Amino acid sequence: MPARVTTLKELAASLDLSITTVSRALAGHEQIALKTRERVAKAARLAGYVPNTAARTLVSGRSGFVGLVLPIRGPNLVDSFLGEFVTGLGEGLVSHGADLILATAALDQSELSVLRHVVESGRADGVVVTRIAEVDARLTYLRQRGFPFVAHGRLLDNGFAYNWLDTDGARAFGEAFDMLYDLGHRHFGLVTISEPMTFRHLRQDGLAAAIGRRGDPSVRLDVVTAPRFDRGARIQAVNRMLQDPDRPTAIVALFDELALTVMEEAARTGLTVPRDLSVIGFDNIVASAYAPPGLTTFDASIRQCAREIADMLLTIITDKPAAPLTRVIRPTLVPRASHGPVPQARS
């Protein structure tokens, strides 16, 4: 078994490499050949070497950490979406030799105040920001500070230059409408949220544009809204729609958790999905595959998006590209059993 080493100098000597080469290899620098990076990583692992973060920071001016603020909105620290996102982000960072710092924002704290602390403490080289609002003070602050960041989502203001990656929710909601329309549905429902989030705006616009393209005056759209994290209000809103004698035959929900609530409440009301009601969601969270009869949804590739965001952010930190990095990911339809033809008695 190789002798244990405690310093970078000892590890470099054991490999007959320069300290600079070993340091860069451990940090995942692409200027170092892949075989060398793999050789150094294996030797460090076998010798039990753990990099001294404080020393690395002094030499490079970087901490090797990326920050993410997690807001605590209830008894669960993270929801299904954030669980997938954090996993993918961690995977993407580790592959480059970087680590993730999670900072929590308590119920009585603003995310911006916690984000300021992460940035100004110097503990992170960059940050990832999720769930972007139509106007978002977090992005304004980060851009003013000139601090490296990537947003998962977009602002409504196209003139605000920043780094982002997003999924094409507008296209997905248009596709959902077209599929249901071709199955004979003309009376639609939309279950959405009241918060001014850009993804809400884009998905609703995509649905409205698809309806407009058909030019069919027989198409109707009912909309119910509730605060995103108020489950009681969400259930009440869904039941208002389901218990209406002239309820929709197909409901599109802004994201899977809302769609799953629709399916649960439909079952309590005595409706059968999809015989009496078609339901479509968005995100393809794990629960969507197991909720009877299986939720038709769009896979937003949450984990893969987070990995790509990690790559983007580390590129920004290392290379400082002149132009903002942006990318749109196309969601993939995941057809399951929750949608079908319009009920014959109501066609």
Side-chain angles (χ1 to χ4, degrees), residues 19-306:
I19 293 174
T20 300
T21 298
V22 172
S23 176
R24 289 179 176 175
L26 289 172
H29 284 280
E30 293 185 357
Q31 296 94 327
I32 306 300
L34 177 60
K35 287 186 177 180
T36 301
R37 279 182 275 154
E38 291 174 343
R39 179 186 168 211
V40 171
K42 181 179 180 180
R45 185 173 61 255
L46 293 174
Y49 173 74
V50 178
N52 185 311
T53 302
R56 182 174 66 182
T57 300
L58 287 172
V59 173
S60 67
R62 297 177 188 154
S63 68
F65 289 94
V66 164
L68 176 70
V69 176
L70 290 179
I72 300 175
R73 298 188 177 93
N76 299 319
L77 176 61
V78 295
D79 53 35
S80 298
F81 169 87
L82 280 177
E84 283 284 298
F85 189 85
V86 169
T87 300
L89 186 60
E91 290 170 344
L93 293 173
V94 166
S95 69
H96 290 279
D99 293 301
L100 178 63
I101 294 176
L102 296 178
T104 55
L107 286 171
D108 59 348
Q109 286 181 298
S110 71
E111 287 186 57
L112 179 58
S113 67
V114 177
L115 180 63
R116 285 180 187 273
H117 178 69
V118 171
V119 171
E120 294 167 16
S121 68
R123 290 184 294 173
D125 300 323
V127 294
V128 174
V129 187
T130 63
R131 289 174 168 158
I132 307 305
E134 294 175 1
V135 177
D136 202 305
R138 297 171 299 171
L139 303 196
T140 301
Y141 162 73
L142 290 167
R143 197 173 75 155
Q144 288 173 345
R145 285 276 309 197
F147 194 77
F149 74 94
V150 176
H152 183 223
R154 285 172 276 179
L155 298 166
L156 281 186
D157 181 4
N158 293 327
F160 187 104
Y162 61 105
N163 308 293
W164 58 265
L165 179 147
D166 199 10
T167 50
D168 194 348
R171 182 170 188 156
F173 272 55
E175 186 177 340
F177 171 80
D178 287 337
M179 181 173 66
L180 292 167
Y181 184 92
D182 290 342
L183 287 169
H185 295 275
R186 297 296 181 266
H187 190 180
F188 294 82
L190 172 67
V191 179
T192 185
I193 60 174
S194 54
E195 289 83 353
M197 308 300 293
T198 308
F199 74 85
R200 178 199 72 167
H201 182 95
L202 295 174
R203 293 174 197 179
Q204 292 178 182
D205 281 359
L207 180 61
I211 292 173
R213 284 193 295 270
R214 292 287 180 169
D216 185 344
S218 70
V219 172
R220 298 164 54 195
L221 177 66
D222 298 340
V223 181
V224 293
T225 304
R228 178 167 193 166
F229 298 102
D230 187 334
R231 177 168 172 77
R234 179 196 313 174
I235 290 173
Q236 288 180 357
V238 167
N239 275 297
R240 283 198 304 272
M241 179 173 283
L242 294 179
Q243 294 174 12
D244 189 321
D246 188 23
R247 58 172 172 76
T249 61
I251 294 178
V252 181
L254 200 66
F255 46 84
D256 283 353
E257 289 174 351
L258 293 178
L260 294 175
T261 300
V262 171
M263 291 169 65
E264 291 166 3
E265 296 307 309
R268 289 193 182 98
T269 306
L271 299 174
T272 300
V273 175
R275 186 190 66 195
D276 302 313
L277 177 71
S278 288
V279 183
I280 294 181
F282 186 96
D283 276 338
N284 194 30
I285 64 174
V286 173
S288 65
Y290 300 103
L295 175 64
T296 295
T297 183
F298 285 84
D299 190 342
S301 303
I302 298 167
R303 195 162 170 174
Q304 181 59 35
C305 285

